Amino acid sequence: MTTERKEPVTDWAKDYDIFDPSYVKDPYPVWDELRGKCPVAHTDRWGGSWMPTRFEDVFAIAQDIQHFSSRDILVAPTIPIDGATDPSSPNYAIGAAPIASDPPVHTWSRRLILPSFSMRSTEPYVEHTRKLCRSLIDGFIEEGRADAAVDYAQQIPPRVIAMLLGIPQEMAGTFTNWVRDLLEVGLQKPEVRGPARMAIIEFFREQIADRRKNPGDDLISVLLAAEVDGEPVPDNHLVGTCLLVLVAGIDTTWSSIGSALWHLAQHDDDRRRLVNEPELIGSAVEELLRAYSPVTMARIVAEDVEYDGCQMKEGQRVLMNFPAANRDPEKFPDADKVIIDRAKNPHVAFGAGIHRCAGSNLARMEMRVAIEEWLARIPEYRLENPDAVTWAGGQVRGPRSLPVAFP
């Protein structure tokens, strides 16, 4: 990996830095500037990449699987783990399919997991999630203050994912640390990312071995019982899929929950309207997902291609800026306003094309229940200190510390 430059950005169209602290905290002015000036920006930082900011461009590139591959979805290049390219190594070909794969592997690997994330399959987790949210609130409501990110939002998805995988809830803290080391700290520090990824891989190897002896009704057992063309699913694919569920199902969802609580802490009208008109929760969740979409994915240019006058070369990275696309005023009237009863909302917070998030039903459910239970107990609250709110960005943007106060 090339040594990263540290000088400040002076031209976001030609030299953007998605890890710049000012961009992480408030990226919206940059996107507005780029849409009018250079809708597909370029940088040499972090290995070099292109970044579309208009809805039509992000959507078009997501649909073009011939020229834009999903074999690497990380927004910055990383050092491969030991043995990843050695066919004799147990770590060979462990990828996070289906999200980090192209057809035909993507096709059958997505088909394997879709039934476990349908609306019907998600329904049994609703009551568990409600009880979890209530228990978390019980732990701090008497204090009159809490960190809505650390004490609440970040506690929910790890425990729901643990239940889905048939893993003890006590692993939630370990899951959180692994995901942060992989997607937050590790994107800029490969010495952190590598050990975290290996720890996850070894953990799921042990879990798979256990389910072979003691099958249950969890996702790991379901995948073990599945077949592809009459053959069992390869072990490395099972490990990669479990890795995907863990990583994609935790940071993304807690970031969405945290961003929603951040917004409602500052917009009394929206918050009180949700309290008084609970039937709006469905449209409010969609609008909050649109306005504060957490995830940016990457695509790799599969072959030289010209897009909108940009000469993209094979192997270059394209950052699928779904959050910027969802703020495009050409697609969404009053795009920078949160309208919790927005009637038409074709957002791409969960991606677009064949790689649209398979776990969107579960994420929506967690977000909806988390907001409902918070407002049921804490209808009035505010940011304790707006300057104390901290954000993580890059691959997944969301509040990491969110101190709030309430009566």
Side-chain angles (χ1 to χ4, degrees), residues 75-371:
V75 296
T78 56
I79 298 172
I81 62 170
D82 292 340
T85 58
D86 179 3
S88 65
S89 167
N91 298 322
Y92 175 66
I94 295 179
I99 197 172
S101 63
D102 298 315
V105 172
H106 167 272
T107 306
W108 62 259
S109 60
R110 182 178 174 86
R111 191 180 299 128
L112 280 178
I113 64 172
L114 277 179
S116 297
F117 292 96
S118 67
M119 292 185 68
R120 183 177 180 181
S121 296
T122 299
E123 191 61 30
Y125 299 103
V126 173
E127 191 56 34
H128 165 83
T129 306
R130 287 200 185 282
K131 290 179 180 178
L132 169 61
C133 291
R134 291 167 185 169
S135 174
L136 291 169
I137 295 171
D138 285 343
F140 54 71
I141 193 167
E142 297 300 327
E143 301 295 324
R145 66 174 305 278
D147 189 319
V150 175
D151 300 330
Y152 190 67
Q154 294 170 21
Q155 301 299 319
I156 300 165
R159 287 166 172 78
V160 174
I161 292 297
M163 184 180 182
L164 178 74
L165 293 169
I167 294 166
Q169 301 276 307
E170 292 73 25
M171 288 293 298
T174 302
F175 285 175
T176 297
N177 291 335
W178 283 342
V179 170
R180 280 194 165 140
D181 286 348
L182 213 63
L183 287 184
E184 190 174 328
V185 180
L187 283 180
Q188 300 177 67
K189 296 182 178 180
E191 68 274 14
V192 173
R193 180 178 180 272
R197 193 173 192 277
M198 288 304 304
I200 297 172
I201 288 172
E202 290 307 311
F203 173 77
F204 280 121
R205 287 197 190 283
E206 294 171 1
Q207 292 296 312
I208 289 168
D210 175 74
R211 294 311 186 286
R212 281 202 166 95
K213 298 177 182 178
N214 307 291
D217 58 359
D218 55 86
L219 179 59
I220 297 175
S221 299
V222 169
L223 293 173
L224 272 170
E227 293 184 345
V228 178
D229 295 331
E231 298 291 331
V233 181
D235 273 14
N236 280 356
H237 187 91
L238 290 175
V239 173
T241 301
C242 291
L243 184 151
L244 168 65
V245 171
L246 178 71
V247 174
I250 291 182
D251 195 6
T252 54
T253 307
W254 85 40
S255 294
S256 293
I257 296 170
S259 294
L261 294 176
W262 176 80
H263 173 87
L264 294 173
Q266 301 171 88
H267 295 83
D268 295 349
D269 289 345
D270 287 346
R271 186 181 68 251
R272 290 166 185 165
R273 201 172 167 203
L274 277 179
V275 170
N276 295 321
E277 301 175 65
E279 67 274 10
L280 290 178
I281 186 65
S283 62
V285 165
E286 297 307 312
E287 178 67 347
L288 291 163
L289 282 167
R290 180 198 68 82
Y292 304 110
S293 306
V295 182
T296 297
M297 293 290 186
R299 297 289 186 268
I300 303 299
V301 180
E303 56 185 64
D304 291 0
V305 62
E306 178 181 337
Y307 184 86
D308 198 25
C310 301
Q311 302 294 330
M312 299 180 177
K313 301 298 182 182
E314 181 180 353
Q316 290 184 327
R317 202 169 297 262
V318 180
L319 305 191
M320 304 298 290
N321 197 335
F322 297 115
N326 283 335
R327 290 278 186 145
D328 186 349
E330 291 296 316
K331 185 68 176 180
F332 300 95
D334 294 317
D336 285 332
K337 293 182 180 179
V338 173
I339 303 170
I340 62 172
D341 58 356
R342 188 182 290 268
K344 187 177 181 182
N345 200 346
H347 67 75
V348 287
F350 292 111
I354 65 171
H355 289 284
R356 189 180 180 283
C357 176
S360 59
N361 290 319
L362 185 66
R364 280 188 171 102
M365 180 278 290
E366 292 176 69
M367 191 172 172
R368 172 174 56 84
V369 171
I371 295 171

